[in-house]
Amino acid sequence: MKIRIGTRKSKLALWQSEWVKAQIEKKFPDVEVELVKITTKGDKILDVPLAKIGDKGLFTKEIEEAMLRGEVDIAVHSLKDVPSKLPEGLKLIAFSDREDPRDALLSCGRYTLETLPEGAVVGTSSLRRKAQLRILRPDLQIKDLRGNVDTRIRKLKEGQYDAIILAAAGVKRLGWEEEIDEILSPERMIPSVCQGILGIEGREGDSEVERIVREAVNSYESEVAATVERAFLRTVEGGCQVPLGCYAVVNEDRILVRAFISDLNGRFYHKEEGVFRFKDLREADSIGVAVAERLLSAGGKTILEELLKCQ
């Protein structure tokens, strides 16, 4: 049997796909796994902030189309890049163990968030990070930063920024943990939905492929957390144009959930936090919906309406 993985060409995407390939081949030595490299729209447009492009599936659409055409069998995504609604005929079939879900500050060994000088230039294109940075350090200058992880670090070292904020997971997966100067706790900066989790997408009805991939890769704890966080995202209906975050921590039959929504400047910011009991994935989904609804009723709906006026 042969399984073809559709993957982006970046170092991180290839690392993630190679990791999934290794897990499958280790568990099923008779299965051949091939990587098929595909360029996505998000890889081509590097000079425009993601929020201004306004297109869901920037890093997934071309790979999903290849799956629907039968050119590849599965796709390995950073799950934070996957829209809450998938194309008809496709589904998420497995979820990896979660790498560090937090955000990381890199500054070439010079600063932490507290010690950055007033007016220092910090690089990020994430509306979520921008809004929370403006709450934590309103004196900072926030400058857009695009490109793959290695490109972003190179720009930092060239002196274009005093510091940059990246997902700790990607930096660690590439073996560049020594570049991190500070890890920002979820209490200070709530992570992106599903940050640190790899989502494996496949075709509906490919039961044998799904069985093999789940046995080789799937983490139930990650699946529960992803179910909560993606249900939150689906309910809020926020894409790249909305500063929001949701982070779920699973501990046996309990889930701690932290979530927020904000306007672009961090002036109107609403946060929800709570511990919930659950029995199965259906209840996990309901928890994500309930947290989103509480956030919307607390003022999040007004924020969304104002953001939509500006688009």
Side-chain angles (χ1 to χ4, degrees):
M1 184 176 182
K2 184 175 184 178
I3 295 177
R4 298 160 298 171
I5 300 177
T7 178
R8 295 168 59 207
K9 300 176 184 179
S10 72
K11 285 184 180 180
L12 181 56
L14 290 172
W15 184 98
Q16 293 171 170
S17 295
E18 288 283 3
W19 181 84
V20 171
K21 177 179 185 289
Q23 303 311 304
I24 294 172
E25 292 177 338
K26 180 180 178 181
K27 182 78 174 179
F28 298 94
D30 293 336
V31 175
E32 179 187 352
V33 183
E34 175 190 356
L35 267 56
V36 179
K37 299 175 184 177
I38 298 171
T39 300
T40 68
K41 183 176 180 180
D43 297 312
K44 295 175 183 176
I45 305 174
L46 298 176
D47 57 348
V48 180
L50 294 177
K52 290 185 179 180
I53 301 172
D55 185 15
K56 293 183 179 180
L58 276 173
F59 299 106
T60 61
K61 185 177 179 181
E62 287 78 5
I63 301 174
E64 289 173 332
E65 289 173 346
M67 257 193 295
L68 291 170
R69 290 193 300 266
E71 296 169 3
V72 297
D73 302 301
I74 62 173
V76 178
H77 304 296
S78 292
L79 194 51
K80 67 183 181 66
D81 295 330
V82 178
S84 57
K85 186 176 181 180
L86 301 180
E88 187 175 349
L90 300 180
K91 61 186 287 191
L92 290 169
I93 60 175
F95 306 80
S96 75
D97 283 331
R98 192 170 210 165
E99 179 53 277
D100 193 330
R102 300 170 294 178
D103 290 302
L105 183 142
L106 288 70
S107 68
C108 297
R110 296 173 294 176
Y111 307 113
T112 64
L113 186 57
E114 282 73 21
T115 62
L116 277 166
E118 185 174 344
V121 177
V122 178
T124 178
S125 288
S126 162
L127 295 183
R128 173 187 63 83
R129 292 178 182 136
K130 287 179 179 180
Q132 294 184 100
L133 280 172
R134 285 175 175 134
I135 293 169
L136 295 168
R137 286 290 307 269
D139 59 293
L140 298 174
Q141 296 183 55
I142 303 175
K143 183 179 174 183
D144 284 320
L145 173 66
R146 286 290 315 279
N148 298 322
V149 175
D150 44 329
T151 301
R152 298 184 190 199
I153 293 176
R154 174 180 55 78
K155 290 180 179 180
L156 169 68
K157 292 183 175 180
E158 288 173 351
Q160 297 183 37
Y161 306 88
D162 296 302
I164 62 176
I165 309 291
L166 301 175
V171 180
K172 290 184 175 184
R173 283 179 172 136
L174 289 171
W176 297 337
E177 190 169 356
E178 70 280 358
E179 302 283 352
I180 297 174
D181 292 302
E182 183 182 16
I183 294 288
L184 304 173
S185 71
E187 291 83 1
R188 298 171 70 202
M189 184 171 284
I190 295 175
S192 176
V193 167
C194 296
Q195 188 158 294
I197 300 174
L198 302 183
I200 293 83
E201 188 178 15
R203 286 184 294 268
E204 291 181 353
D206 280 1
S207 56
E208 184 63 7
V209 170
E210 180 174 349
R211 180 188 69 82
I212 289 170
V213 174
R214 282 187 68 84
E215 284 190 30
V217 175
N218 196 60
S219 160
Y220 181 67
E221 186 173 294
S222 291
E223 187 169 13
V224 171
T227 299
V228 172
E229 295 170 27
R230 286 178 61 80
F232 169 87
L233 180 64
R234 184 184 71 239
T235 305
V236 175
E237 296 183 340
C240 292
Q241 296 84 11
V242 182
L244 58 78
C246 183
Y247 175 48
V249 181
V250 181
N251 184 7
E252 296 181 350
D253 64 341
R254 288 179 170 84
I255 304 172
L256 167 65
V257 184
R258 291 188 178 94
F260 88 95
I261 188 170
S262 170
D263 69 349
L264 296 177
N265 298 310
R267 289 175 298 187
F268 300 100
Y269 176 98
H270 294 279
K271 179 180 178 181
E272 284 290 331
E273 182 174 325
V275 178
F276 308 85
R277 285 183 177 272
F278 80 103
K279 294 178 182 177
D280 52 29
L281 292 174
R282 181 179 297 178
E283 289 192 357
D285 188 279
S286 298
I287 289 168
V289 172
V291 171
E293 289 177 342
R294 279 165 48 176
L295 202 59
L296 290 171
S297 62
K301 188 174 181 180
T302 302
I303 289 174
L304 283 177
E305 290 170 351
E306 291 300 316
L307 286 172
L308 286 171
K309 291 179 184 177
C310 299
Q311 293 175 14

